[in-house]
Amino acid sequence: MSTQAETLEFQAEAQQLLQLMVHSIYSNKDVFLRELIANASDALDKLRLEAFRDKDLEVDTSDLHIAIEVDREKRTLTVRDNGIGMSRDDVVGLIGTIAKSGTGELLRKLKESSDAAANELIGQFGVGFYSSFMVADEVTLVTRRAGESTATRWSSAGAGTYTVETVAEAPQGTSVTLHLKPEDAEDHLFDYTDEWKIRQIVQRYSDFITWPIRMEVDSPDGAGGTKREVQTLNSMKALWARSKDEVDEGEYREFYKHISHDWRDPLETVQVKAEGTFEYQALLFLPSHAPADLFARERTRGVQLYVKRVFIMDDCEALLPEYLRFVKGVVDAQDLSLNVSREILQQDRQISLMRRRLTKKVLSAVKAMLDDDAERYRTFWNEFGRAVKEGLLSDPENRDALLDVVSFASTHDPEQLTTLRQYVERMKDGQRHIYYLTGASRQVVESSPHMEAFRAKGYEVLVLTDPIDEMWVDAVPEFDGKPLQSIAKGELDLDTEEEKKSAESERDQQQKDFAAVLAWMTEKLGDEVRQVRLTSRLTTSPACLVGESSDLTPTMEKIYRAMGHEVPPTKRILELNPAHPLVAGLRKAHEERGDDAELSEVVELLYGTAFLAEGGELADPARFTRLLADRLASTL
């Protein structure tokens, strides 16, 4: 007997995904069973954890398992578990609606791709249940949540609507029954009631599932005949508890795909085993590509936490720092409480020790890639470098290890990145600083007037264009005893002692010749700049703006204001190239005409061009444009 039956429509994006599954053009349809088993495994994990935490929950956890049942006559396949189950609201919310960020991206990738691997994207966004419609004309789900007395039946033919009704009796857990489509070899649609095919799929994708996956099969009876008996199809061996010699790379890859819902192979596998006073095992993976939400504010991160093989939580953030949020894997501790909470984890000394060790192992794996496999390291850095650099700010304990693995663009090579170690090895004789310049893009940085002297003298400059670069450079004073120096801050000192000596008299004369015009310009621009002075850092540009060593850069000022902080504008220094015709002409005109109104406008334009050259935004662009047009007109 059932009550409260109603027919509902799928959410729009769910309908699109459903249609892709119903009319699937992808060849590897076997993954539907992997997804259903993964969902069942999650449900069993959650039930055991809930039973530990809620002693009043009346559930039997003595024989948690997954069962696969086939009916060859009716052509149905059922995947059944006795896990946590779902309430009616859970069913409507989880299956009728895809409430996941990134669903649009998933649909785009699915539509664009037609190769066998593409359909494995279905698991990436937590919607693996829909893959059932690749092989079934109709799907029926019956579920009862642990602790509830009534169950829910859900069914759909994948045509845009589904039916939900309350059922009086059903076992605890969830069963999903697929009414299978006819076998079609051309469409890679196999007979999924075939025992051999089911065994093959389970052993390929789900052998490491920690719960028994059982199925009734024919087996020899010892008298020349056969008998029906229930067999466990998977080995249930936790990969993290086995030595590397016992596991092949294929098993690691499938396990990674199972826990990450990623369809690509991992870039690197990191195995950790700690023994002694505090024992734990870990199996971590570095993905080969960044998730869509790597820099999203609302995202899940962290690795799976087990205690004595008992699943505790799916996203334990306390085990790895924020900048390693892309790492996937499992940590199994022997000595934690099964009732551990997220709040306790943040304060737990053992968790803190595990976090330190796991962080060092991950960074060590990245360093090994850098040393031994440059191509894989480049892949890793292109995908995750921006996130890793956050650690230079947030993780002073591992800063030295991070500085050994970070890479940057530089003027040494327009294509290849460089490490700090490689930069230091190429430093010129007598060079004391590691030079860098931050900016919005490589083009902006390379066209900056600040680069002129460095280019002329052959000094390498790091090109830092990520927003995080503006922040970490102030937190990292040096590398390998070499101070980091922004070429847009402070006085420039690139000349050798011999060059300084030979140019000393000329510079002294320039200081005398320009003293009056510099003082006048400093007064005129007093609201904008701290000082106007001569420079040796320019070779072709007339002027540039520089800051003192402790000043915030203009980009940092913008970042702070965007975060809602009150930041007073920083007055910078306008440096002039005394050899430039415009600057030399301005000095001569000032000697002849003094405080002339037209000269004041030229000074304003000179400051504005220096401001624009570094990518700044003028406070009054209309006035600048008018002054520039007037000056140009006066020359015709």
Side-chain angles (χ1 to χ4, degrees):
M1 182 177 179
S2 64
T3 58
Q4 302 179 40
E6 56 182 326
T7 299
L8 303 171
E9 285 193 2
F10 286 100
Q11 172 211 37
E13 286 183 324
Q15 286 194 38
Q16 293 179 49
L17 182 60
L18 205 58
Q19 287 306 301
L20 281 169
M21 294 300 102
V22 170
H23 304 292
S24 174
I25 58 172
Y26 310 121
S27 58
N28 186 13
K29 295 176 173 58
D30 292 357
V31 294
F32 84 92
L33 187 55
R34 178 192 71 183
E35 295 300 324
L36 293 182
I37 290 173
N39 290 345
S41 176
D42 289 344
L44 294 169
D45 286 338
K46 289 172 182 174
L47 178 67
R48 184 157 69 168
L49 182 60
E50 191 67 23
F52 277 121
R53 290 180 172 171
D54 183 359
K55 300 303 180 185
D56 295 327
L57 185 66
E58 295 184 3
V59 291
D60 181 6
T61 59
S62 61
D63 184 29
L64 298 180
H65 65 279
I66 300 165
I68 298 176
E69 302 166 3
V70 297
D71 187 324
R72 304 202 70 162
E73 289 185 9
K74 294 181 179 179
R75 287 197 53 74
T76 63
L77 181 147
T78 299
V79 177
R80 187 187 307 277
D81 68 73
N82 54 348
I84 192 72
M86 292 181 282
S87 66
R88 184 187 180 101
D89 289 343
D90 291 337
V91 171
V92 175
L94 293 173
I95 299 178
T97 303
I98 305 177
K100 284 271 194 176
S101 62
T103 304
E105 173 77 357
L106 165 67
L107 289 168
R108 183 185 65 78
K109 288 182 179 179
L110 282 169
K111 288 174 181 174
E112 289 178 356
S113 190
S114 60
D115 66 347
N119 78 69
E120 297 192 30
L121 284 163
I122 58 180
Q124 189 174 346
F125 294 83
V127 291
F129 174 79
Y130 287 82
S131 62
S132 303
F133 288 96
M134 291 194 297
V135 300
D137 289 321
E138 183 181 351
V139 178
T140 301
L141 175 146
V142 178
T143 183
R144 178 169 68 83
R145 186 170 182 83
E148 294 189 358
S149 57
T150 57
T152 303
R153 178 187 289 124
W154 177 100
S155 63
S156 176
T161 63
Y162 60 92
T163 301
V164 181
E165 56 187 322
T166 300
V167 181
E169 291 184 10
Q172 169 199 300
T174 301
S175 68
V176 181
T177 299
L178 279 57
H179 301 265
L180 297 166
K181 295 177 181 179
E183 186 177 355
D184 185 344
E186 260 185 48
D187 193 29
H188 302 276
L189 197 59
F190 301 103
D191 182 1
Y192 292 109
T193 65
D194 189 307
E195 176 192 322
W196 172 84
K197 185 62 180 174
I198 293 171
R199 280 184 184 275
Q200 181 195 52
I201 296 172
V202 170
Q203 288 171 7
R204 179 179 178 187
Y205 293 118
S206 308
D207 191 58
F208 47 77
I209 295 289
T210 53
W211 306 105
I213 303 170
R214 299 171 182 163
M215 184 171 71
E216 191 176 74
V217 299
D218 289 322
S219 63
D221 61 3
T226 61
K227 62 179 179 180
R228 298 291 288 173
E229 68 174 12
V230 175
Q231 288 186 1
T232 298
L233 305 183
N234 59 322
S235 69
M236 296 182 290
K237 292 180 180 176
L239 259 66
W240 60 87
R242 294 158 62 184
S243 70
K244 276 199 167 185
D245 298 338
E246 299 175 8
V247 185
D248 63 44
E249 282 302 314
E251 290 178 285
Y252 281 136
R253 288 195 293 268
E254 289 306 327
F255 182 70
Y256 165 74
K257 292 173 184 178
H258 168 70
I259 61 172
S260 67
H261 298 299
D262 186 2
W263 60 276
R264 303 178 200 181
D265 292 337
L267 196 63
E268 184 64 60
T269 302
V270 181
Q271 198 159 18
V272 184
K273 186 172 184 179
E275 297 176 325
T277 54
F278 180 49
E279 296 185 3
Y280 62 91
Q281 296 158 323
L283 186 59
L284 306 178
F285 299 93
L286 304 184
S288 58
H289 67 115
D293 63 351
L294 182 62
F295 294 99
R297 183 170 296 179
E298 294 181 4
R299 63 177 178 273
T300 57
R301 71 173 184 88
V303 297
Q304 294 182 357
L305 175 63
Y306 284 72
V307 174
K308 300 184 187 74
R309 309 283 177 89
V310 177
F311 174 80
I312 300 298
M313 65 182 67
D314 205 30
D315 49 354
C316 184
E317 297 180 357
L319 285 168
L320 284 170
E322 170 80 5
Y323 66 89
L324 296 179
R325 56 187 173 272
F326 51 84
V327 175
K328 303 296 182 185
V330 167
V331 176
D332 188 359
Q334 304 304 308
D335 304 304
L336 289 176
S337 165
L338 291 171
N339 291 314
V340 69
S341 67
R342 291 185 187 275
E343 292 71 29
I344 292 172
L345 286 173
Q346 296 296 335
Q347 309 298 326
D348 191 276
R349 178 177 171 274
Q350 292 179 332
I351 289 289
S352 178
L353 291 172
M354 290 167 64
R355 176 189 175 108
R356 292 174 66 183
R357 173 90 185 279
L358 295 175
T359 300
K360 291 183 186 302
K361 289 290 286 188
V362 170
L363 295 180
S364 176
V366 176
K367 182 65 166 64
M369 270 197 289
L370 172 62
D371 294 338
D372 304 331
D373 195 332
E375 191 59 40
R376 278 199 309 147
Y377 168 79
R378 274 194 292 272
T379 299
F380 170 82
W381 192 256
N382 288 337
E383 296 291 329
F384 304 108
R386 282 178 60 200
V388 172
K389 282 190 286 187
E390 295 170 13
L392 293 171
L393 268 175
S394 61
D395 190 4
E397 180 183 346
N398 289 298
R399 186 171 290 157
D400 288 344
L402 284 162
L403 288 172
D404 273 333
V405 300
V406 293
S407 289
F408 309 100
S410 90
T411 54
H412 174 71
D413 190 307
E415 302 292 335
Q416 298 297 327
L417 301 181
T418 183
T419 65
L420 293 175
R421 181 73 56 198
Q422 291 165 339
Y423 180 103
V424 168
E425 290 170 355
R426 290 192 296 266
M427 284 173 63
K428 296 171 75 73
D429 290 342
Q431 181 179 345
R432 293 181 290 109
H433 296 87
I434 296 172
Y435 295 113
Y436 69 87
L437 183 61
T438 59
S441 67
R442 184 175 187 119
Q443 182 180 0
V444 168
V445 171
E446 291 202 327
S447 60
S448 168
H450 296 104
M451 296 287 289
E452 292 174 9
F454 290 84
R455 191 177 291 115
K457 288 184 174 289
Y459 282 94
E460 182 177 354
V461 178
L462 299 179
V463 179
L464 308 182
T465 56
D466 288 336
I468 189 67
D469 292 333
E470 294 281 353
M471 292 177 268
W472 73 258
V473 289
D474 289 329
V476 179
E478 64 174 33
F479 172 78
D480 197 28
K482 309 291 184 183
L484 273 70
Q485 172 66 50
S486 168
I487 67 171
K489 288 184 178 183
E491 297 253 18
L492 187 64
D493 183 15
L494 295 182
D495 293 339
T496 64
E497 291 301 321
E498 193 174 312
E499 288 171 330
K500 289 177 189 175
K501 204 167 188 179
S502 65
E504 187 175 358
S505 60
E506 182 185 358
R507 287 182 181 172
D508 287 345
Q509 187 59 48
Q510 286 176 340
Q511 290 295 337
K512 290 177 184 177
D513 293 343
F514 280 86
V517 73
L518 293 176
W520 171 69
M521 289 178 68
T522 299
E523 181 185 351
K524 285 293 175 186
L525 295 171
D527 291 339
E528 307 293 341
V529 303
R530 184 181 303 161
Q531 180 189 2
V532 181
R533 69 190 183 197
L534 298 181
T535 186
S536 61
R537 78 173 78 226
L538 299 174
T539 59
T540 57
S541 297
C544 69
L545 286 164
V546 301
E548 298 287 12
S549 298
S550 58
D551 285 350
L552 287 178
T553 64
T555 304
M556 274 305 300
E557 287 186 21
K558 288 180 187 176
I559 291 172
Y560 279 124
R561 290 192 185 107
M563 294 165 62
H565 297 295
E566 290 288 335
V567 181
T570 302
K571 283 188 178 183
R572 301 168 73 205
I573 298 164
L574 181 65
E575 292 193 343
L576 304 181
N577 177 4
H580 194 279
L582 175 58
V583 176
L586 183 60
R587 177 185 71 82
K588 186 176 179 183
H590 178 259
E591 286 177 355
E592 296 171 351
R593 292 151 56 187
D595 190 10
D596 183 270
E598 288 187 350
L599 289 184
S600 296
E601 291 179 354
V602 172
V603 170
E604 192 174 337
L605 286 171
L606 188 60
Y607 167 76
T609 54
F611 195 70
L612 289 172
E614 65 175 14
E617 296 176 8
L618 294 170
D620 191 352
R623 174 176 170 79
F624 180 84
T625 305
R626 180 177 59 78
L627 290 178
L628 182 60
D630 290 347
R631 289 291 93 211
L632 291 172
S634 69
T635 64
L636 299 175

